[in-house]
Amino acid sequence: MKTIKVELGDRSYNILIGSNLLNRAADLLCETLSTEKCIIITNPTVDNLYGNKLKKLLSKSGLTVDLLTVPDGEEYKSLDTAGRLYKELTDCFSERGTPILAIGGGVIGDLSGFVAATYMRGVPFIQAPTTLLAQVDSSIGGKVGVDHGNLKNKIGAFYQPKLVISDTETLKTLPQKEFANGMAEVIKSAVIRDRSFFNFIRENLPAIMKQDSGIIEEMVFRTASIKASVVMQDEKDTGLRNILNFGHTIGHAVESVSDFGISHGQAVAIGMLTEAKISLKMGTLEKDELTEIEDMLSSCGLPTRLPELDRDSILQAIQHDKKVTNGKIRFALPGNIGDVYITDEVEPAIIREALEE
């Protein structure tokens, strides 16, 4: 097991990464919190794989456990679903000290974290991510929220978990498409911060795609470490943390315009390549590095072309992005692999040109 300590003063917590950690969840939870009751929030798919088993393990340790489910799909990451969960938590007599344990992917983690942040003005929150995307990205850093008006994460909060339990064995039950979604965030992390890690991914790609346990654990650890180091320096996303948005300014717009028919990982892959092309057009990224990024995305089974979506609608959605300040769109663009820069000086014509290509 590998451990990352996210140092945030009284909001500090550990990220635990390793095989079969869910079997130790009861001990890990009790070591972290003093409680006699726990609420699990998951979806039906994860419930069948791990939820009921986890409930039994926690119950066996002496905890009173209630399990709540949310249907699969981004469309359920909403205020309506949050409202239903508030009622169910009340029906379960959930108290201010009763922890919510989210087990699943990013939708479950984001939604459950938002509910934990707002129910009774905040209850303890634990993440048990079961997708690669959640283990390397959404479970870390305290960004929780729901979609609203077809705009992703429009309503949310910063609310740090008390613990993150990343059991890498759960990744073996992922469909290939979902594993690829997570690889988009892995590649993003390497591009923004660590050229040697980018090379590690490329050199170990066959083992990664075959899910070699040791390589996967190292990959999750290195990716999570990159995000944790950024979060520790900029918890509330006022400066450095903006670099984590590489691929997301256009990616979120693509998700929204597709009515979330394009998955987050696929949209981020399209966003990364489009934003890398913007950087190329602005003279800050070399053509051969753009090609390296494109080749790696393609090798992981991620799209490198924008589907038939209305470009005007994408540009309009970008204007509603949370990172827009004083009407200017802020991008995190790669200067080279391993380093990005923040700019709000990208002309709309360049964005459109990159989208058209």
Side-chain angles (χ1 to χ4, degrees):
M1 180 180 75
K2 297 178 183 291
T3 302
I4 300 167
K5 178 78 170 179
V6 183
E7 299 277 6
L8 293 170
D10 60 359
R11 298 176 308 287
S12 298
Y13 57 95
N14 286 329
I15 302 167
L16 309 179
I17 300 165
S19 299
N20 299 310
L21 290 183
L22 287 181
N23 293 336
R24 299 171 51 196
D27 290 339
L28 296 171
L29 189 153
C30 292
E31 287 169 9
T32 305
L33 297 168
S34 177
T35 184
E36 296 179 353
K37 185 177 175 68
C38 179
I39 306 292
I40 296 172
I41 299 180
T42 189
N43 64 39
T45 301
V46 178
D47 184 21
N48 289 334
L49 290 168
Y50 310 110
N52 195 46
K53 177 184 175 182
L54 181 59
K55 181 180 179 180
K56 288 179 179 177
L57 287 170
L58 294 175
S59 299
K60 192 175 180 181
S61 73
L63 293 172
T64 300
V65 184
D66 289 292
L67 190 149
L68 311 179
T69 59
V70 175
D72 292 319
E74 182 80 27
E75 64 268 30
Y76 295 102
K77 198 174 93 174
S78 66
L79 286 173
D80 286 343
T81 306
R84 177 173 68 78
L85 288 171
Y86 295 142
K87 182 181 184 304
E88 292 182 3
L89 288 168
T90 302
D91 293 342
C92 293
F93 298 94
S94 185
E95 300 173 355
R96 203 167 200 173
T98 304
I100 289 176
L101 192 161
I103 178 167
V107 169
I108 289 296
D110 286 358
L111 172 65
S112 301
F114 178 77
V115 169
T118 50
Y119 182 73
M120 291 189 172
R121 296 191 177 91
V123 300
F125 179 46
I126 292 176
Q127 289 261 28
T130 58
T131 66
L132 179 58
L133 195 152
Q135 289 187 8
V136 301
D137 183 51
S138 61
S139 68
I140 305 163
K143 281 188 176 181
V144 297
V146 294
D147 304 332
H148 188 63
N150 213 36
L151 294 171
K152 193 173 176 71
N153 299 327
K154 192 67 174 178
I155 300 173
F158 288 95
Y159 194 69
Q160 301 297 340
K162 298 294 184 183
L163 179 69
V164 179
I165 305 170
S166 291
D167 187 338
T168 51
E169 283 298 303
T170 63
L171 305 182
K172 293 181 177 177
T173 60
L174 286 179
Q176 184 58 42
K177 178 183 174 182
E178 288 302 322
F179 187 80
N181 277 336
M183 286 304 299
E185 292 289 352
V186 173
I187 294 165
K188 178 207 79 176
S189 299
V191 172
I192 66 171
R193 205 70 169 165
D194 191 340
R195 174 73 200 206
S196 66
F197 182 40
F198 187 92
N199 294 340
F200 170 89
I201 298 166
R202 182 170 55 201
E203 292 161 7
N204 290 281
L205 203 52
I208 289 169
M209 302 314 285
K210 290 178 181 177
Q211 294 215 32
D212 175 274
S213 295
I215 295 293
I216 291 293
E217 185 173 324
E218 178 66 15
M219 182 182 76
V220 172
F221 173 75
R222 290 180 69 167
T223 310
S225 296
I226 289 171
K227 181 161 188 182
S229 70
V230 173
V231 168
M232 284 188 280
Q233 296 175 71
D234 180 19
E235 181 184 3
K236 297 295 178 69
D237 204 4
T238 59
L240 178 65
R241 190 165 175 170
N242 288 179
I243 69 173
L244 298 173
N245 292 321
F246 171 51
H248 287 62
T249 301
I250 288 174
H252 281 168
V254 168
E255 282 184 270
S256 296
V257 173
S258 73
D259 289 326
F260 301 106
I262 296 175
S263 67
H264 179 70
Q266 291 176 322
V268 168
I270 292 166
M272 280 193 285
L273 196 56
T274 308
E275 291 172 23
K277 286 182 178 181
I278 290 172
S279 187
L280 178 69
K281 291 177 181 298
M282 294 180 70
T284 49
L285 182 70
E286 296 295 330
K287 174 67 174 175
D288 59 345
E289 294 206 311
L290 171 65
T291 301
E292 284 188 77
I293 295 169
E294 182 172 9
D295 288 348
M296 183 171 285
L297 291 170
S298 179
S299 297
C300 291
L302 288 161
T304 56
R305 295 291 179 271
L306 184 64
E308 290 300 318
L309 296 173
D310 183 67
R311 271 53 173 174
D312 288 332
S313 296
I314 293 173
L315 287 166
Q316 186 175 10
I318 292 170
Q319 293 288 347
H320 290 287
D321 191 275
K322 298 184 297 298
K323 297 175 287 298
V324 172
T325 304
N326 297 322
K328 289 192 170 184
I329 303 165
R330 197 169 19 171
F331 283 96
L333 300 179
N336 51 63
I337 294 174
D339 185 40
V340 293
Y341 63 100
I342 308 298
T343 180
D344 61 2
E345 299 298 326
V346 182
E347 295 294 332
I350 293 179
I351 302 172
R352 178 179 288 279
E353 201 174 313
L355 286 170
E356 294 294 345
E357 289 183 3

